[in-house]
Amino acid sequence: MEKAMMDDERGKQLEVRTDLALEARESFPGDGGEIAGVELREWDEKQNGVKVTEVVIKNQRGAEAMGKPVGTYLTLEAPRLSEKDEDFHKEVVEELAGQIQKLMMKRGILGRSARKVCSEDETKIATRKSRPADFRPVSALVVGLGNMDATPDSLGPRVLENLQVTRHLSLEYGVEFCERNGYPVLSGITPGVMAQTGMETAEIVKGVIKETRPDMVLVVDALAARSAKRLGVTIQLSDTGIHPGSGVGNHRNSLTEESLGIPVFALGVPTVIGAAAVVHDTVGALVEVLKREHGTGEYGEYISEMAPEEQYELIREILEPEFGPMYVTPHDIDERVKLLSYTISEAIHEALFDS
Amino acid sequence: MEKAMMDDERGKQLEVRTDLALEARESFPGDGGEIAGVELREWDEKQNGVKVTEVVIKNQRGAEAMGKPVGTYLTLEAPRLSEKDEDFHKEVVEELAGQIQKLMMKRGILGRSARKVCSEDETKIATRKSRPADFRPVSALVVGLGNMDATPDSLGPRVLENLQVTRHLSLEYGVEFCERNGYPVLSGITPGVMAQTGMETAEIVKGVIKETRPDMVLVVDALAARSAKRLGVTIQLSDTGIHPGSGVGNHRNSLTEESLGIPVFALGVPTVIGAAAVVHDTVGALVEVLKREHGTGEYGEYISEMAPEEQYELIREILEPEFGPMYVTPHDIDERVKLLSYTISEAIHEALFDS
Amino acid sequence: MEKAMMDDERGKQLEVRTDLALEARESFPGDGGEIAGVELREWDEKQNGVKVTEVVIKNQRGAEAMGKPVGTYLTLEAPRLSEKDEDFHKEVVEELAGQIQKLMMKRGILGRSARKVCSEDETKIATRKSRPADFRPVSALVVGLGNMDATPDSLGPRVLENLQVTRHLSLEYGVEFCERNGYPVLSGITPGVMAQTGMETAEIVKGVIKETRPDMVLVVDALAARSAKRLGVTIQLSDTGIHPGSGVGNHRNSLTEESLGIPVFALGVPTVIGAAAVVHDTVGALVEVLKREHGTGEYGEYISEMAPEEQYELIREILEPEFGPMYVTPHDIDERVKLLSYTISEAIHEALFDS
Amino acid sequence: MEKAMMDDERGKQLEVRTDLALEARESFPGDGGEIAGVELREWDEKQNGVKVTEVVIKNQRGAEAMGKPVGTYLTLEAPRLSEKDEDFHKEVVEELAGQIQKLMMKRGILGRSARKVCSEDETKIATRKSRPADFRPVSALVVGLGNMDATPDSLGPRVLENLQVTRHLSLEYGVEFCERNGYPVLSGITPGVMAQTGMETAEIVKGVIKETRPDMVLVVDALAARSAKRLGVTIQLSDTGIHPGSGVGNHRNSLTEESLGIPVFALGVPTVIGAAAVVHDTVGALVEVLKREHGTGEYGEYISEMAPEEQYELIREILEPEFGPMYVTPHDIDERVKLLSYTISEAIHEALFDS
């Protein structure tokens, strides 16, 4: 829960109120319109019940408009993820695995697993029909961010608990062992949170990468969303790494290709909303109700006329002194996070193992 | 987190929006005024930094006004509980142990431990100077309500983890062993939540009490508060048991003297606020700000003129369809709950052991 | 880990050195011979790689010979359980589910699930072809004995974590809801260990049963075995309940049909061996080696001529003063117990749900 | 549980059967005699009930004789550590903190904390009377080896859970903040086990050290002992780092000053004994009993005449095929490890914080 949350923790301005690029894109008025430097592609909901949206931030201008770094953001929306339906979770596993592979291929990380990507794939990336002569298994490090002791923030550590690592087998029996068995060279770490380690997550991950030299990093993290209806049922996958803070000044804690030297994919699920966001949305709805039922009036008008950014800032100013940074989370978040952690670890296996 | 939370879970009306009697009392307009059937006593903040308030609901009329059952509610407010100051936590341990003893004495449960209650105590209960001839150790069952897997709801189970039970020693070596060593006959249970056990908490506790025959029950639970500033720093102690639900009809899940046949004390700390409560407070503050800065207008007036109950209901209606029952909790709740669970278990030991 | 282990903990004589009836049976010299009052039936290893053995202790004479109560003991031996082979675990789930149903039918507890038991079943119990007019779902309480904090003893609590209880649905929506959906009325409890609760497990279970009135209890527990090769790969299923202690005097802690009033099935997996058993076996083997390689001599002869019981007692006398009661366990017991807990909970679901 | 245990896990010869230098020293016949290159110093048991022994391996000759690397090994024996006596644990905290400081000073790592070391200390290291002009807080990384899921191996992770890290404060407020408050620059990591991470512990620790540049490492680990009476009541402190494996060839997994470039202190408590060691000791005692009670004979003589190393190897050969590498541990190891983890984390605080 790096981005939106850590801003709050440090009392910085809440410019970034959502970790989801999709929500950042939606926040622009006139939803159909164009934002310079940002491309949006949506696919109709598939038969498997998953809706995929791709936001590509193409350049610095798009990055500034969106408040997010340049790169590709895939969003899987699957409302039925909240149900304990094992078959549906398997559908999501397949879909997510395919999207992970697509993103890996886009970044030139091709392995045996790439053979699985179907050619009718929307992004038209050709798939390999057979293992290339110079095949070697993908070497990947999965990083589980977050805090096992704080339920909504435990997604990363829980995914790591379910992960089947294999890199130690290549240490013991040679990388041929992994190749022969269709395994990736997979390692994983749960770096913990700064209050428990005294270290920035980025310091730990950077050190581990320097020693173990993977080809890529996949960071799993709980996210903050803007809309409650996305909690626990939306998965965002990006190739942009993790950039806590609003991007000015301190890059100490970034996990990016720039800082680590290898592609950094991020996979996250929103599990909390900032309390200010909840109030903001409710006030908006409240004004609508009052307007509709009682005619217009000064306050409603006044609020309606404020820019959303101003409205939000005002609410935050009122809220924070008493409440501090607080988060809103569903009451069954423990069940949801447990279930999701299986689904995500299975999708990672599916994407990387050739079984 | 039985009362306020379970109402929400079952979609009933949110009549009881706080588990704290003190907050229920405060919600009445004209704070200094009298409520028939309710007595309020406050003590100045003590040297130890703890402020104690006593709300006594004396009869059915008071119970209806307050939405809480007849009985005594002691509240300890100790803002510094949020700090990791071991010395301060020891002060709170002493204060809380004294209040537990006071409440036990009021209900006629006197043991060796009673000797500790100072005679200058405000409730004027005389203390025993020596062990009476017919002394026998208090036999108490501590029940840790809640869900270990949901951080804000893990207070009860965590207190039980730290509890030093002794009843098994009396089974093995006779009750004389406990008496000789100044031990109570202490047992403890973590009944779990219904979704894990398929049973009502009350069914489990009732069964255990029938088999093991303690003199009293002390139920430890996380609570829901109305005000964020009370989260994690307020302890409520009552002799009224636990009454989930709004009191009409179904008493299946009550843990009360009526249902269990022995005094039921409840010790709770608020760890969450309902999202609706947060919005309600913020909207109230928002209207004030707008009024002050921009003059009055229809909406503000309209909102100000609604009864608080109506306001709240309107906000809940707007909030629930999208959000479902959701809870607001501080970002460092895991640390706070861990720390508090030690403090509370120590206070229970201090109240019951004669060491 | 009630039986063999608790004897040790209380320093009583180690008459019962194994919780497995199969091992008790094997300990008799002249393995093929008859023991009065005991019946042994073995089936060839099935295609699914599971070997099933049935020991029936028919009367008091058999019970005394075996040191175990009258009843049926089914043992499933499946060496490949130690592997992380998901398909094989599914085979064991099916086999175990069938055996649970067989035992339930033998005791007259018939439910919808009984329809699954194949008619070619070895015990020749006819299966129902359709739901009887007076069908009602089986109401079962699963009890997870043991200690979550001690890895080899955590099997019971871990199975309960994976269990899908349903009884609360019948409380909320009526028992028809379970019937309509093919659910049992399933509840579960993890009573904890005496040092944490101050209560005998039997007190807690007895109380819960009196309040919730299930038709049967299934107790899941880690066991102590005699032979290392059975650790983690053998499952014992019996209809005799749990009888800690050697049977003389104190029945306080029994979980049996006699004490609870309903059939008590026990499902256990050995996860430890007593240290004395390990030494005993090794000394036996040592004497053999010495005899074979160096000719016979006094000690070897002397040891060989001692009754096994005497040998064991001598070793225990030498071992205990320094070591106290200690247990031997494989180094990967944490992985094994996690895996097994899924397999067992799935088998319980398979046996009781009609899905 | 790196050393003795990992030998076993990899099926290598069990040359190192104990992680305790004190036990390795004791294993030499003629206990009072001299071993070239090894110095032994014992102090009488102190008033605090702790017996301290120092084994110094001075050169390669001593290292070969002992099967342990050159360096200083301090052993604290405190039988009462097995009791839940808070006052006694405080005594051990003080003693252990002093010994940690002594070892740090010997290696030239002096900080504010050094002021605490009493001048009447046996190693005659002069203590600083005041903070030197060039004072800066010690920067230390604590590494908690082991596996949270395997009770006897969870000591390291548990100590880390209790550790109060401070390095993040120096990142946020500058190192002056730590200096001003008398804090060390303390960080901590729980690297996990290879089967969970796919990485050697040494790879992770090395990477983290390169990024965060501490002055020293303190590795906390569970150990294997030779004698049951030392389990849970002996603490070994050394300045030699961690050397898994028998030292030939593969140094990949060492955590030593040589491999990491900074002093590596190791703090361990034995929590298991190899099953072979238990059998070996028992057979020895058995032969003694038989000799004494029944006169001598060939086997006893034969066993007595074997070198201990040969005896052990024979027992291992008999034991391993059936049992695999197995470990013996007390039945209350969960309670002991929890208690010890507090004591050790407190001692680390006491040694490094100037409070």
Side-chain angles (χ1 to χ4, degrees), chain A residues 131-143:
Chain A
R131 202 189 308 176
D134 61 346
F135 169 79
R136 68 182 187 87
V138 171
S139 171
L141 171 69
V142 181
V143 177

Side-chain angles (χ1 to χ4, degrees), chain B residues 9 20 53 65 72 92 94 104 108 119 148 161 201 220 233 241-242 247 254 259 276 282 330 340 347:
Chain B
E9 278 182 54
L20 296 177
T53 312
T72 300
V92 175
E94 289 303 319
M104 284 170 61
S119 62
M148 196 51 155
E161 278 197 340
T201 295
V220 181
V233 297
I242 296 272
S254 292
S259 66
T282 314
L340 278 164

Side-chain angles (χ1 to χ4, degrees), chain A residues 91-342:
Chain A
E91 299 275 10
V92 175
V93 163
E94 289 303 320
E95 183 65 39
L96 181 54
Q99 299 292 346
I100 293 173
Q101 292 188 332
K102 195 164 76 175
L103 215 53
M104 282 170 63
M105 294 181 78
K106 211 171 165 180
R107 301 303 305 261
I109 297 174
L110 299 165
R112 172 182 302 193
S113 49
R115 286 184 295 159
K116 280 183 206 157
V117 180
C118 353
S119 62
E120 26 71 281
D121 182 84
E122 306 88 351
T123 51
K124 305 283 180 266
I125 293 171
T127 45
R128 297 163 176 279
K129 288 287 179 273
S130 62
R131 202 189 308 176
D134 61 346
F135 169 79
R136 68 182 187 87
V138 171
S139 171
L141 171 69
V142 181
V143 177
L145 295 186
N147 182 355
M148 196 51 154
D149 291 335
T151 313
D153 199 20
S154 66
L155 181 74
R158 282 184 190 278
V159 167
L160 269 280
E161 278 196 340
N162 301 329
L163 197 72
Q164 292 296 332
V165 296
T166 57
R167 185 174 171 278
H168 58 304
L169 303 173
S170 82
L171 291 180
E172 191 117 7
Y173 307 113
V175 72
E176 304 77 40
F177 181 85
C178 285
E179 185 175 352
R180 214 164 42 240
N181 287 282
Y183 296 168
V185 176
L186 190 57
S187 54
I189 194 163
T190 304
V193 292
M194 208 161 62
Q196 286 167 357
T197 64
M199 298 181 278
E200 298 272 7
T201 295
E203 294 178 306
I204 298 171
V205 175
K206 216 176 284 184
V208 167
I209 285 172
K210 283 187 190 164
E211 288 300 314
T212 63
R213 300 272 162 219
D215 302 330
M216 58 169 270
V217 178
L218 174 59
V219 180
V220 181
D221 196 8
L223 304 178
R226 192 72 186 72
S227 158
K229 71 168 188 269
R230 291 213 167 87
L231 294 189
V233 297
T234 301
I235 303 174
Q236 174 172 280
L237 188 63
S238 76
D239 60 0
T240 60
I242 296 272
H243 303 248
S246 50
V248 238
N250 182 4
H251 293 293
R252 193 175 58 192
N253 204 19
S254 292
L255 293 175
T256 60
E257 183 156 7
E258 198 187 338
S259 66
L260 300 174
I262 50 175
V264 180
F265 302 101
L267 194 167
V269 177
T271 59
V272 297
I273 321 172
V278 173
V279 173
H280 178 251
D281 290 355
T282 316
V283 167
L286 183 67
V287 166
E288 285 309 303
V289 169
L290 295 180
K291 232 183 227 169
R292 201 170 56 238
E293 297 184 5
H294 305 282
T296 54
E298 275 176 53
Y299 292 135
E301 261 168 48
Y302 182 77
I303 292 177
S304 319
E305 284 163 10
M306 285 170 84
E309 206 58 41
E310 277 180 278
Q311 281 179 29
Y312 186 84
E313 207 46 39
L314 177 59
I315 287 167
R316 209 183 55 76
E317 274 168 28
I318 292 166
L319 197 59
E320 293 256 311
E322 185 181 0
F323 288 77
M326 308 224 333
Y327 297 91
V328 177
T329 198
H331 72 279
D332 61 348
I333 190 66
D334 58 315
E335 284 300 322
R336 293 204 195 184
V337 166
K338 271 189 211 171
L339 211 59
L340 278 165
S341 69
Y342 283 105

Side-chain angles (χ1 to χ4, degrees), chain B residues 119-244:
Chain B
S119 62
E120 25 73 280
D121 182 86
E122 307 87 353
T123 50
K124 304 283 179 266
I125 293 172
T127 44
R128 296 162 177 279
K129 288 289 180 271
S130 61
R131 203 190 306 178
D134 61 345
F135 169 80
R136 70 181 186 88
V138 171
S139 172
L141 171 68
V142 180
V143 177
L145 295 186
N147 181 355
M148 196 51 155
D149 291 335
T151 314
D153 199 22
S154 66
L155 182 73
R158 282 184 188 279
V159 167
L160 269 280
E161 278 197 340
N162 302 328
L163 197 73
Q164 292 296 333
V165 297
T166 56
R167 184 173 170 280
H168 58 307
L169 302 173
S170 83
L171 291 180
E172 190 117 8
Y173 307 112
V175 72
E176 306 75 40
F177 180 85
C178 285
E179 183 175 353
R180 214 164 42 240
N181 287 282
Y183 296 169
V185 176
L186 189 58
S187 54
I189 195 162
T190 304
V193 292
M194 207 161 63
Q196 287 167 356
T197 64
M199 299 181 277
E200 298 272 7
T201 295
E203 294 178 306
I204 298 171
V205 174
K206 217 175 284 185
V208 167
I209 285 171
K210 283 186 189 164
E211 287 300 313
T212 64
R213 301 273 162 220
D215 302 330
M216 60 169 268
V217 179
L218 173 59
V219 180
V220 181
D221 196 8
L223 304 178
R226 193 69 187 74
S227 157
K229 69 169 192 269
R230 290 211 167 88
L231 293 188
V233 297
T234 301
I235 302 172
Q236 174 172 283
L237 188 63
S238 76
D239 60 0
T240 62
I242 296 272
H243 303 248

Side-chain angles (χ1 to χ4, degrees), chain D residues 6 27 29 73 87 101 112 152 174 187 190 193 201 229 299 312:
Chain D
M6 293 186 76
S27 71
Y73 300 82
D87 290 335
Q101 293 189 329
R112 175 184 299 194
S187 54
T190 304
V193 293
T201 295
K229 71 169 189 268
Y299 291 134
Y312 186 86

Side-chain angles (χ1 to χ4, degrees), chain A residues 84 86 161-162 164 338 342 346, chain C residues 84 86 161-162 164 338 342 346:
Chain A
K84 271 194 177 175
E86 218 171 284
E161 278 196 340
N162 301 329
Q164 292 296 332
K338 271 189 211 171
Y342 283 105
E346 278 312 299
Chain C
K84 271 195 178 174
E86 217 171 285
E161 278 195 339
N162 302 329
Q164 294 294 334
K338 271 189 212 170
Y342 283 105
E346 277 310 300

Side-chain angles (χ1 to χ4, degrees), chain C residues 325-343:
Chain C
M326 307 223 335
Y327 297 91
V328 177
T329 198
H331 70 277
D332 60 348
I333 190 66
D334 57 317
E335 284 300 323
R336 293 203 195 184
V337 166
K338 271 189 212 170
L339 212 57
L340 278 163
S341 69
Y342 283 105
T343 304

Side-chain angles (χ1 to χ4, degrees), chain B residues 246-285:
Chain B
S246 51
V248 236
N250 181 7
H251 293 294
R252 192 177 57 190
N253 205 19
S254 292
L255 293 175
T256 59
E257 182 155 8
E258 199 187 336
S259 66
L260 300 175
I262 50 174
V264 181
F265 303 101
L267 192 165
V269 176
T271 60
V272 296
I273 322 173
V278 172
V279 173
H280 178 252
D281 290 355
T282 314
V283 167

